[in-house]
Amino acid sequence: MRFHFSKTLKTVFSLFRKCFFRMVSCCRARIPFLPSCDSPGDRTIEEKLPWTNPYLRYSRSVIEEVLKQKGMEYRSFRPILIDTDQPEQVFGEADDVDQVLPQLERGLNFLEICTNRPDYFADWKDYMEREYGLLVRVLPKSRDITLYGNMILDFERSDSGAGSFTEKLCFGMPGEVIYLPFQKREWRAEAAGQLPETLPENASEMGGEFLDIKVPIGYNMLAVRAKRS
């Protein structure tokens, strides 16, 4: 009797187990991120990788086009550079600021750098003064500083949020200030007859003398034609 009861209990348990796993499989089909029962802990929620700007090599040309559309010349360009918040982006490679600063130096008449690593820019500051006679202002990322530029070049990658230093720059400065984020919002390549999302990943390598890019200016997108160099 005890053997028969035990066999019946095992049968019931086996049926329950099959029904349970069938129910879980059905749920996984509807909820893709539900962990697998066969290998618990192995599956993780797939997250979208952060966007990295592939057009930094065209920064000078993009900035000149933005200034042109705003009715300004490069000699009146007064950039406020917000230093990256992730300097060690790729070990052994130049960070975003290192890639763009050399493009800006020719013809530059003004520069303010807001950074938490002032010593990092000491040599470059001396170089600009020696080669071009330009006195670069290197300032802390503080809401109490006074800035005099007319275009913000934001190299931070994380969203600073309400009440931050970046927000103060964007909304607290007198007069019209152009805001150009390099990583917080996507720059999108354009091609005739193609939507941006249909372009190949290596769109920056497409042929031609110019590359049409839509860049974020404040809350809007501005179409510019960057010259390849």
Side-chain angles (χ1 to χ4, degrees):
M1 180 70 179
R2 184 180 298 174
F3 174 76
H4 182 71
F5 176 76
S6 176
K7 185 177 181 181
T8 303
L9 186 62
K10 288 181 179 180
T11 303
V12 172
F13 178 76
S14 178
L15 289 172
F16 173 79
R17 188 172 181 274
K18 288 181 180 180
C19 291
F20 174 76
F21 283 110
R22 183 173 296 178
M23 180 180 67
V24 170
S25 297
C26 182
C27 290
R28 286 181 61 204
R30 294 175 178 271
I31 311 175
F33 55 80
L34 192 67
S36 170
C37 295
D38 298 328
S39 53
D42 289 343
R43 288 176 60 88
T44 56
I45 299 175
E46 292 186 3
E47 298 180 356
K48 184 180 179 182
L49 293 174
W51 178 79
T52 300
N53 193 334
Y55 310 114
L56 294 178
R57 73 186 73 175
Y58 308 118
S59 295
R60 169 73 181 236
S61 184
V62 166
I63 290 170
E64 288 178 341
E65 282 293 304
V66 171
L67 293 172
K68 182 179 178 180
Q69 294 193 35
K70 296 293 183 179
M72 302 167 60
E73 296 182 354
Y74 196 81
R75 61 184 178 184
S76 62
F77 172 47
R78 302 198 309 275
I80 303 169
L81 189 149
I82 303 179
D83 188 21
T84 178
D85 51 353
Q86 299 179 27
E88 298 299 330
Q89 293 152 14
V90 180
F91 181 76
E93 294 185 11
D95 63 33
D96 299 338
V97 176
D98 291 329
Q99 295 181 58
V100 175
L101 271 179
Q103 299 179 46
L104 304 182
E105 63 184 48
R106 178 174 46 85
L108 192 63
N109 294 317
F110 180 98
L111 178 61
E112 294 174 324
I113 300 176
C114 300
T115 179
N116 291 328
R117 48 173 188 167
D119 293 342
Y120 185 80
F121 295 96
D123 290 343
W124 195 81
K125 179 182 177 182
D126 292 341
Y127 164 77
M128 290 299 291
E129 183 175 1
R130 184 175 63 254
E131 294 295 322
Y132 298 97
L134 178 64
L135 298 177
V136 178
R137 298 184 73 208
V138 179
L139 306 154
K141 290 184 180 180
S142 168
R143 300 187 69 202
D144 299 325
I145 61 176
T146 300
L147 298 167
Y148 302 96
N150 56 15
M151 186 171 183
I152 299 170
L153 308 180
D154 186 0
F155 287 90
E156 289 187 341
R157 294 190 172 213
S158 58
D159 192 355
S160 304
S164 66
F165 168 70
T166 305
E167 185 189 55
K168 182 257 184 182
L169 286 185
C170 295
F171 301 104
M173 293 187 64
E176 182 180 356
V177 178
I178 304 169
Y179 174 69
L180 176 61
F182 282 75
Q183 297 290 358
K184 289 179 181 176
R185 293 182 61 195
E186 292 189 19
W187 295 20
R188 297 200 171 191
E190 299 282 308
Q194 285 187 285
L195 296 174
E197 56 267 24
T198 65
L199 292 173
E201 293 183 0
N202 62 340
S204 62
E205 303 296 335
M206 292 187 300
E209 184 181 356
F210 296 96
L211 178 66
D212 293 333
I213 309 174
K214 280 190 175 180
V215 298
I217 299 295
Y219 291 110
N220 302 313
M221 298 296 289
L222 185 69
V224 300
R225 174 157 288 187
K227 186 175 182 180
R228 300 172 185 272
S229 57

